[in-house]
Structure formats: C-alpha cells, structure tokens
Amino acid sequence: MTQYSNILVDTRGAVTLVTLNRPQALNALSSSVLEDLIAAFAAFEADESQRCAVVTGSGEKAFAAGADIKEMAEKPAAEFYADDMFVRWQSHLVGAVRKPWIAAVNGFALGGGCELAMMADFIIAADTARFGQPEIKLGVVPGMGGSQRLTRAIGKAKAMEMILTGRMMDAAEAERSGLVAKVVPSAELLDCALKTAEAIAAMPPLAVLAAKELVNAAQELPLGEGIRLERRLFHVLAATEDKAEGMAAFVEKRPAVWQGR
Ligand code: CO8
C-alpha cells in the first residue's frame, strides 16, 4: 500500500479509512496534505473493491483546524492566483469522486477543515465537534467553498452570522441546523462512521453512484431539471441486472447479491 507523509490510509473490507495525520498542527491542511489526499482519493476511486470512504482526523482535538496558516502567511498574492490554490480540492475531492465518502468530524473543523467536511457526501460528528469559518479574523474569506456550501447547508441567516463573526458552532447546533447527519458520543464516532460506510458499501454500486449524483444535483439544478434527471437515472437503473436481482430477491424473500451491472 502507498505510504503517505501526512495522512494514514487503511482499507477495511470495502471501506477506505483516511486519517488526517498532523495532530501537532491540529491536522492543518497544508499543500502536502492536499497532495496526499489527491493520491488517496484517486486510489479509492480506481479500486473496484472499495465502495465508500471515511475521512477523519487523528488526535482528540481536531478534524482539521483549517488551511495551514503558517504556509499561507508566507505566500504572495500572485502565487495564490498562479497556483489557483484551492481549485484542486474541488476538482480532485469532489469533481473526480463518484463514490460516496463520509466526514467523521472529531473536535475542530474550522476554515478549510469545515470546508473539507462539507465536501463530503455527509458529516457524522462527535459531540465534541466544533464548526466554523473564522477566515474573516485573518483578513480573508473562505476560499474552498465555505461561503457557498455553508449557506446551502444551514441557510443564509446562520451562515452569514457565522462567516461575518467567525464564531464556532457546536455539534448540537450543527445537527439542529442541518449541517451534520448525526451526532454521536466522541468514543463512538469512528465505529459509527465505519458502520455507516459499510452499510452503504453493501448497497448496489450503480444505484449508490446514481443516488449520490442526484442528491448533489439538487444543490445546483432547478427543481424541474433535477426531477427530469432523477427520472432518467431511474430508467437507466431499471435496465440493470442489479434491479432484476434486487426485485427478485425481495419477491423470493432472500438477500440480494449485487453485481454492479
Ligand atoms: N494552520 C497552521 N497551524 C495551526 C492551525 C492552522 N490552521 N491551527 C492550529 N495550528 C497549530 C498552532 O499553531 C499550534 O502549533 P504550535 O504549537 O507549533 O504553535 C498547534 O496547532 C496547536 O494549536 P493551538 O495552540 O492554537 O491550540 P488551541 O487549543 O489553543 O486553539 C484553535 C485551537 C482555536 C483551533 C486554534 O488553533 C486556532 O484558532 N486555529 C486556527 C483556526 C483558523 O483560523 N482556521 C482557518 C484558517 S484559514 C482557512 O482555512 C481557509 C483558507 C482561505 C484563506 C484564503 C487565503 C487567500
């Protein structure tokens, strides 16, 4: 298995577990973390045996406390523009990944850490989780989608208040506001995220890809177009062997065996 410097990658059956591993810097997202994540996600996407991933942070304290401020502090504006810093997060961790992945958020998810969590298909949070977009306190704004994804997730009033004040939101408020799918005691976070990922990994693979595509399309498309896309993908899935198997298995009262075709 590939060795990475800033993350740990472990496969457990059909589930890939990725752990951000810079606890001394609260798992701050440096450009080397990004390189590792890009490689790990490409491997996950290409490996047919892998069906769902979980991303979490090492240590009790943080999922990720943001982009690496020490690295950014030294960076001239022209370099931010020339590198198109942040675009690769979107293209490699969102655009190029059709399989589902879950963010298991322990402790701080701030700035780029909150944005990384929101790139996941959904977030499961420990009761210790704290979310925030504190970039304003550094003289900037979110740069990896935070202003857009947070607003879609929790609505304009709360997102505006959080982004303008830089305050943190605790796990209970994040659940109430619709930012996270569920909150569990800290000690149960990884187990819960892995079990959820295993449950998804056991679903028919083509239907999983289509379901992810459709829910994500709802964030971008007008309702009529989204509903038309849903119908088309339903029709495509109706022609698969997995549809025949799933319905036959129900009628015959036996577990289905998925082929992914
Ligand atoms: N980057 C680099 N190092 C960090 C970061 C970070 N984001 N966060 C924490 N660390 C380091 C600290 O420097 C410290 O290292 P050291 O011991 O060497 O000084 C170590 O992690 C532990 O941190 P603290 O001692 O600060 O721990 P505390 O428990 O006292 O505080 C906090 C925890 C509240 C999480 C605090 O560390 C903090 O406020 N961190 C920064 C949070 C933040 O502002 N994140 C947003 C960063 S910007 C961003 O992500 C979006 C990028 C968009 C910008 C676009 C630019 C053009």
Side-chain angles (χ1 to χ4, degrees):
M1 184 168 288
T2 316
Q3 289 298 311
Y4 301 95
S5 315
N6 301 284
I7 62 173
L8 305 169
V9 180
D10 185 20
T11 53
R12 302 174 178 210
V15 174
T16 299
L17 174 63
V18 177
T19 307
L20 304 167
N21 193 30
R22 296 182 73 208
Q24 72 290 355
L26 302 187
N27 301 320
L29 304 169
S30 61
S31 43
S32 344
V33 174
L34 173 60
E35 293 313 320
D36 283 357
L37 283 175
I38 288 175
F41 268 84
F44 161 65
E45 188 69 8
D47 184 341
E48 280 185 15
S49 73
Q50 295 303 291
R51 298 276 164 82
C52 190
V54 171
V55 176
T56 194
S58 65
E60 306 258 298
K61 230 174 137 180
F63 173 74
D68 192 310
I69 299 172
K70 291 170 187 166
E71 188 178 275
M72 287 189 300
E74 304 300 323
K75 211 172 156 88
E79 248 178 66
F80 278 103
Y81 183 66
D83 294 358
D84 207 357
M85 198 178 165
F86 306 135
V87 74
R88 299 173 73 228
W89 291 88
Q90 172 69 27
S91 55
H92 289 80
L93 272 55
V94 182
V97 183
R98 296 178 71 202
K99 295 177 188 174
W101 62 283
I102 302 168
V105 172
N106 47 313
F108 295 113
L110 301 176
C114 186
E115 292 171 303
L116 172 62
M118 291 190 292
M119 285 176 198
D121 294 302
F122 59 92
I123 301 171
I124 298 178
D127 51 8
T128 54
R130 303 190 70 190
F131 298 87
Q133 298 289 164
E135 289 88 344
I136 199 153
K137 297 181 182 171
L138 301 169
V140 288
V141 290
M144 286 156 54
S147 62
Q148 306 304 299
R149 288 200 175 94
L150 189 66
T151 306
R152 280 168 169 76
I154 67 176
K156 181 189 165 186
K158 259 186 192 291
M160 187 70 93
E161 182 234 356
M162 285 188 69
I163 290 171
L164 286 177
T165 64
R167 81 158 170 100
M168 293 186 213
M169 176 183 262
D170 67 18
E173 186 182 4
E175 187 175 31
R176 239 179 12 251
S177 309
L179 180 59
V180 308
K182 73 170 142 180
V183 177
V184 295
S186 184
E188 294 165 25
L189 175 68
L190 196 55
D191 193 43
C192 173
L194 288 169
K195 284 207 170 95
T196 307
E198 278 159 23
I200 294 169
M203 296 296 163
L206 295 177
V208 166
L209 294 185
K212 168 169 170 160
E213 184 178 344
L214 286 169
V215 176
N216 283 334
Q219 305 272 18
E220 298 190 0
L221 296 181
L223 183 61
E225 271 185 52
I227 287 173
R228 266 192 295 280
L229 178 64
E230 182 189 82
R231 267 200 311 267
R232 293 293 166 257
L233 286 182
F234 186 100
H235 294 156
V236 169
L237 290 172
T240 62
E241 289 179 26
D242 281 348
K243 172 262 179 188
E245 166 65 7
M247 296 198 181
F250 176 82
V251 173
E252 291 159 19
K253 301 188 188 299
R254 61 171 175 83
V257 180
W258 309 119
Q259 303 295 336
R261 54 179 189 259

